[in-house]
Amino acid sequence: MGNETLTRRIEGRAKVCGNARYVDDIRAEQFGSDFDHGIIVTSTKARGVIRRIDSSTAFKVPGVLAVFTHENAPRLNKIISLSMAELADIRPLQGPEVRHYGQPIAVVVAESPTAAREGANLVAVEYEDDEGDTAFSLAAAEKRLKPVKRAGMAPGKISSGNPEQDFEASPVKHDAVYRNAPHHHNTMEPGSAIARWDDDGGVTVQAAVQWQHVDTLVIGQAFGLGLADRLPGFIARKMLGSEISGKVRLKNTLAGGAFGRNLTMVHVLLACMAAKAHGRAVKISVSREQCFTLFSFRAEVRQRLRIGAESNGKLKSLIVEPDVAAGIGGSFVEPVGAWSCHIYNHESRHLQHRVARLDTQAPGWMRAPGGSSAMFALETAMDDIARDRGIDPLDFRLMNFAESDPESGKEWHSNRLKSCFDQGAEAIGWRDRYEGGTLRNDGRVIGYGMATCWETHFQFPASVRVRLTEAGEGIVFATLAEMGQGGWAALTTLASRSLGLPREAIRLETDASNLPAGAGAIASTGTYSNGVAIHEASMKLHRILRRLAVRDRKSPFYGKDEDAIKFEDGNLVGDGNLWEPITDLLSRHPKREVEATATTGRTFGRSRKAKATFGACFVEVSIDAITHEVRVEHMVGAFAGGRIIEPVIAKNQISGGMIWGLGQALMEESTIDERTGRWTNGNLAEALIPTQADVGKVSVILVEDDDPDHPVGMKGLSEIGVMGPGPAIANAIFDALGTRVRHLPIRIDDLMGEAA
Ligand code: MOS
């Protein structure tokens, strides 16, 4: 599997050989000018006012050139961030107020990174305390909870029927509170950005962002590059097609992981600010520790979940009440409830999110936002009810299978959940598994658990340009960011199929600043959204080539029926063995190349049917009978997510997601000091994430779910991998020990004293 992954991945070879270029690998000659180095100074208080900030000692370090604080940094305009980031509310270095621990309060610019870092350590700050109360966790913020209408891109409130009455009248009642700990992105690449202001008053920026045009807009608004006054109609028009103002030249670079974090990052804005004030290009690099306070993270969630069921096990009412932590800025709310209402048949429902703004930086997008906390509660509850009733957990889910989308009432576009159940169960041996609690002769107790996985399907507007050249190359101008998900590989394959060219003939251009507004690498939508546009542009090119051929006296297709021409392996192919290489046809074309742009997704993929990706996760755990150490022996994930473009890479991404889910289940938790608001394990020495040794066998099954009528036929198939392991592992632990844990991560001390 390894070799094939590498050769199919467009960036695979460069990564393995050490030639892949991340922002930190970009030298002056590639950037186009020399640059100085900036290091961010962050606050050591969560709340207060800076009374004095003294940079005189920093200037004694040889090589330190400038220090920017709220006193001398460029002023920024208002920002409306499409990514719901906190920068919309909290623009850096605009005033003396400190609103969260680790907030940027200065940038030190020097000739070298070392001098900048030494200088940054020497900036002296005096704070004045601010009288207000602080709250760093939901438990401390009861009074701040407020109901909300929206949660992320999903509704914050949904109601139908008489859920409370139905619940009260139900013979089977489940009523429990579930909690998910906050945890941070730990991307391999902490992050850097380089910015330079050019003679035309525009800015050139090199960074690794997930959605190039959203960050281009953020920079444009902040510096008034002719964008802010034209919002939001401008946004709508630009997101739907044409190119963005040439004054913000954001060049996107390979990202060493992102998955929600690389959306509207503060260091990118700070690099632009520092470069502007400094009058020379500046590169800002973020330290590992700073990743814990400068960027978004997964919000703390607590939800009360009530399920009422008939005595035969059929669900009747569903009441989901998530309380979600937000930060001091931004409009992002973890969209917890949106998931729970689509999975099983039920009659009445009530969903209401409440949000408490804590004194931390804003949480934000993180792989399977909402879905992972939603599914933990729902799927633990389903397991609980099933076992209480003496029903096999898989049979219980089948009993409540939703033939159509319970929330919208719409027919499913396709639903292969039952096949996912079958194939997943088969792979783990569910039907003839050992009884939970069986003691192995190595002193470990075994248990099995499962969970359903579900992910809605979105399509974002995307504009893509495709060019065919005389040399036989298909050049695709698209903005899809590559953060390890394999999107470049999938788009290359899609383009080769749509254009009828060999895969080697396709070249993706993703790092220029003047690309059409493509869709971001976000929310399991990037490949599909951009892929549909690539397909449409390819079809336009085929029409152009057909017309050229039938009107060209030198072409074997001269005067023939245009509609009969097909495209295979770089050739125009027709009836009666007629064929001509595209390269021959184009060599007679005055421009020697043809180009087409397509814009798709204007209605965000709205359709008469409910489109979703389904999946099932099964796990086998073994638990040391004495120490209670939990080992996940085998995780199986079976997913039905439409046409699979690159199976090996798709499996690769999903198994990575499942390992992330394992981390959520057993390890990942960011703890905060309730007195100071400092993340106490905010570094890679203390933040636990799964390592190779923590991961047993992982099996990914891609269940056939093609849509032959659709030219691209895909569904979102990325984030769904994260959702299953949390509840499946919790359920397997219950199966093994009889201990029900309703919070993640589950730690050894949650299990002590209960078993053996
Ligand atoms: Mo997604 S949370 O944008 O990887």
Side-chain angles (χ1 to χ4, degrees), residues 438-512:
T438 300
L439 182 66
R440 279 193 331 212
N441 60 7
D442 61 355
R444 303 184 70 89
V445 177
I446 57 168
Y448 292 84
M450 65 154 302
T452 303
C453 314
W454 185 91
E455 168 83 293
T456 185
H457 171 90
F458 282 114
Q459 181 183 5
F460 279 92
S463 202
V464 163
R465 188 164 63 237
V466 180
R467 183 186 296 160
L468 278 172
T469 70
E470 181 192 19
E473 224 183 0
I475 309 175
V476 178
F477 298 88
T479 60
L480 187 72
E482 179 57 65
M483 51 191 182
Q485 86 277 32
W488 287 354
L491 289 191
T492 301
T493 304
L494 265 169
S496 112
R497 287 184 193 157
S498 293
L499 285 168
L501 287 183
R503 195 174 186 261
E504 311 76 64
I506 304 296
R507 185 154 61 84
L508 274 184
E509 284 282 345
T510 58
D511 66 350

Side-chain angles (χ1 to χ4, degrees), residues 221 224-232 234:
Q221 291 173 66
L225 292 174
L227 302 170
D229 50 334
R230 281 177 279 161
L231 294 172
F234 173 81

Side-chain angles (χ1 to χ4, degrees), residues 23 31 33-36 192-198 202-207 219 223 249-250 267-276 278-284:
V23 181
F31 183 64
S33 66
D34 275 331
F35 44 82
D36 291 321
S192 292
I194 318 173
R196 175 187 67 230
W197 289 79
D198 300 311
V203 61
T204 299
V205 185
Q206 190 94 47
I219 297 167
F223 295 98
R249 292 174 280 267
L250 173 56
H267 72 293
V268 178
L269 202 51
L270 285 168
C272 298
M273 292 167 74
K276 187 168 179 118
H278 185 46
R280 256 172 71 84
V282 173
K283 168 175 162 182
I284 289 192

Side-chain angles (χ1 to χ4, degrees), residues 281-361:
V282 173
K283 168 175 162 182
I284 289 192
S285 298
V286 167
S287 73
R288 178 58 67 184
E289 287 72 19
Q290 288 178 340
C291 292
F292 288 83
T293 73
L294 296 184
F295 304 128
S296 64
F297 61 103
R298 198 186 300 278
E300 182 189 358
V301 173
R302 176 186 65 196
Q303 55 184 314
R304 182 177 177 199
L305 178 62
R306 280 177 285 167
I307 298 176
E310 307 282 10
S311 41
N312 62 9
K314 294 259 186 206
L315 304 193
K316 215 170 145 60
S317 75
L318 183 63
I319 307 173
V320 192
E321 296 167 298
D323 290 340
V324 180
I328 38 102
S331 54
F332 175 83
V333 172
E334 183 86 6
V336 183
W339 271 252
S340 319
C341 307
H342 298 276
I343 325 284
Y344 302 112
N345 262 339
H346 59 281
E347 288 165 23
S348 55
R349 74 189 66 89
H350 178 72
L351 159 72
Q352 177 68 67
H353 290 77
R354 294 190 300 175
V355 170
R357 281 203 182 273
L358 307 181
D359 300 289
T360 67
Q361 86 264 30

